[in-house]
């Protein structure tokens, strides 16, 4: 996997300078490499996209942990689950995980939603 490509794609996805967020990029590259199936080509271009999407998601998680609500320009507060940078990053990550389905092995399952708006502790 080309880390330079991952950095460029991270900047495209996040709108942030990659040098300021190298810990997220390094972690995401390691996570992506850890998911590879034994027969996967480590030079597959899709891996850079997946690692960048994962780095963007990790960044948005960190930001969301500091602020659980988001104000719009009119002052309306978004509820959990409405469009937010974190939900957008999660959707992007899901898309790239699906795109790479034939070259990765998912070893974990994460339940990330509840219908009806119930709060889960």
């Amino acid at each position: 996997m080309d880390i330079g490509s991952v950095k460029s794609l991270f900047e495209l996805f996040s709108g942030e300078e990659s040098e300021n967020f190298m810990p997220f990029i390094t972690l995401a590259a390691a996570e992506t490499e850890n998911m590879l199936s034994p027969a996967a080509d480590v030079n597959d271009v899709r891996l850079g996209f997946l690692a960048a999407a994962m780095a963007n998601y990790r960044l948005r998680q960190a930001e969301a942990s500091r602020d659980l609500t988001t104000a719009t320009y009119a002052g309306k507060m978004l509820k959990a689950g409405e469009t937010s940078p974190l939900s957008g990053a999660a959707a992007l990550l899901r898309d790239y995980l699906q795109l790479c389905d034939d070259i990765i092995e998912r070893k974990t399952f994460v339940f990330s939603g509840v219908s009806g708006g119930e709060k889960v502790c």
Side-chain angles (χ1 to χ4, degrees):
M1 176 179 355
D2 177 20
I3 200 70
S5 175
V6 175
K7 289 166 59 174
S8 295
L9 290 164
F10 172 81
E11 290 179 0
L12 175 68
F13 295 159
S14 70
E16 304 285 350
E17 291 290 327
S18 62
E19 294 305 319
N20 297 331
F21 298 100
M22 283 308 296
F24 292 108
I25 294 169
T26 304
L27 174 64
E31 285 183 275
T32 301
E33 289 173 358
N34 191 42
M35 287 191 284
L36 288 178
S37 66
D41 177 8
V42 296
N43 295 313
D44 192 309
V45 69
R46 295 175 292 174
L47 296 175
F49 282 86
L50 177 57
M54 187 161 314
N56 182 48
Y57 179 69
R58 297 290 181 223
L59 170 61
R60 300 307 170 202
Q61 279 182 315
E63 291 173 342
S65 72
R66 292 190 305 259
D67 183 15
L68 299 178
T69 59
T70 304
T72 64
Y73 73 94
K76 177 185 173 197
M77 304 304 281
L78 295 176
K79 296 178 185 172
E82 290 185 19
T83 303
S84 69
L86 180 59
S87 63
L92 184 69
L93 178 57
R94 277 192 303 273
D95 287 347
Y96 284 109
L97 283 167
Q98 184 177 3
L99 182 67
C100 296
D101 194 52
D102 62 323
I103 58 173
I104 62 173
E105 295 177 350
R106 297 188 209 177
K107 299 175 178 101
T108 59
F109 172 78
V110 177
F111 182 72
S112 64
V114 177
S115 67
E118 298 89 12
K119 192 171 186 176
V120 177
C121 297

